[in-house]
Structures are given as C-alpha cells and as structure tokens.
C-alpha cells in the first residue's frame, strides 16, 4: 500500500472518529436542554484540535515506519491527491453557502457552526474515499 493511500485512510478514520466523538458529546446534553442551546463550542474546538493532532502524529508514524522508497510520490500519486482534493472541496463550498444562508436566515449560531463543521468533515471523508477508490480501482485522468 502506498504511503499516500495510508494517509487517505488516516484522514478518513480520523475525520469520522472525531465527528462521532463530537456528536456523542453534543447529543449527550442534559435532558430538557434544547439542542440549539447545548454547549458545543468547547466540544467542537477539542475535537477539531484532537483530530489535527492525531492526523499529524499518524502521518509522522506512517512516514517514519515506511520503507525508504515508499514515501516518494510519483505522478500517479500527485494526480490522485489532486483528484481527491477537488472532489472534497465541493463540500467546503456547500458548507460555506449553507452557513451563509443560515446566517441570513438569522439561525442560531449552533446551527451555523454545525453546518460548517459537517461540511468540513464531509469534505475530508469524500476526498479520502475518492482517493481510496482511485488507488483500489484505478485512476484515469481525463
């Protein structure tokens, strides 16, 4: 397995695990508290920070324990990476538009922040899945 494919797996697992943790914390609010009033800021910041740290540490470990020639990117790796990033970035745009629409509708900050966070997570997941599919089933640039 190429080092770039391992990195895509890391991004996929870390994104899903951190968002699941965030949802568990926010949805585990005390009974009777409306969801829009649930404390979410600390959970959001901690899960984002932890996912960044975990991703960095795991990328370093993959690089450190990979054979010497395996960490070199070739043209195919660069094209797959670019392809996955283009696919994933579509959700960043969707999240920005959703956050803007929610702000114009004067929605609670909870909903705006969660729409944008979900878009970032979906961007990471979709980009990683696109990369993994390209590695597993072949990649044909157009």
């Amino acid at each position: 397995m190429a080092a770039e494919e391992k990195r895509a797996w890391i991004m996929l697992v870390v994104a899903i695990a951190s968002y699941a943790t965030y949802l568990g914390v926010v949805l585990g609010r005390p009974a009777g508290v409306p969801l829009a009033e649930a404390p979410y800021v600390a959970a959001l910041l901690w899960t984002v920070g932890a996912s960044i740290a975990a991703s960095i540490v795991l990328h370093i470990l993959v690089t450190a324990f990979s054979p010497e020639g395996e960490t070199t990117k070739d043209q195919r790796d660069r094209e797959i990476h670019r392809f996955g990033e283009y696919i994933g970035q579509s959700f960043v745009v969707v999240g920005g538009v959703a956050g803007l629409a929610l702000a114009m509708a004067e929605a609670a900050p909870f909903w705006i922040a969660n729409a944008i966070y979900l878009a970032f997570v979906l961007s990471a997941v979709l980009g990683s899945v696109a990369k993994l599919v390209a590695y597993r089933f072949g990649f044909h640039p157009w």
Side-chain angles (χ1 to χ4, degrees):
M1 182 182 306
E4 290 301 310
E5 185 177 357
K6 291 176 187 174
R7 289 185 177 114
W9 277 109
I10 289 169
M11 183 64 75
L12 178 66
V13 171
V14 167
I16 291 171
S18 66
Y19 194 68
T21 301
Y22 171 74
L23 286 178
V25 170
V26 171
L27 296 178
R29 68 194 183 285
V33 176
L35 187 57
E37 296 175 13
Y40 71 94
V41 175
L44 192 145
L45 292 174
W46 278 104
T47 55
V48 168
S51 67
I52 290 169
S55 180
I56 290 169
V57 167
L58 291 171
H59 279 90
I60 290 170
L61 289 173
V62 163
T63 303
F65 292 108
S66 293
E68 188 173 324
E70 187 177 293
T71 58
T72 306
K73 290 183 185 180
D74 60 6
Q75 182 64 28
R76 179 175 178 260
D77 288 328
R78 284 189 286 277
E79 288 179 8
I80 288 174
H81 177 75
R82 188 178 311 116
F83 170 72
E85 292 300 310
Y86 286 160
I87 297 292
Q89 291 303 316
S90 62
F91 274 100
V92 173
V93 173
V94 169
V97 171
L100 183 63
L102 288 169
M104 289 189 298
E106 298 180 3
F110 173 86
W111 296 113
I112 297 169
N114 278 283
I116 293 170
Y117 185 33
L118 177 62
F120 281 126
V121 170
L122 291 176
S123 172
V125 168
L126 183 62
S128 296
V129 168
K131 290 175 189 177
L132 293 171
V133 167
Y135 274 111
R136 291 294 169 181
F137 300 109
F139 177 70
H140 307 289
W142 308 59

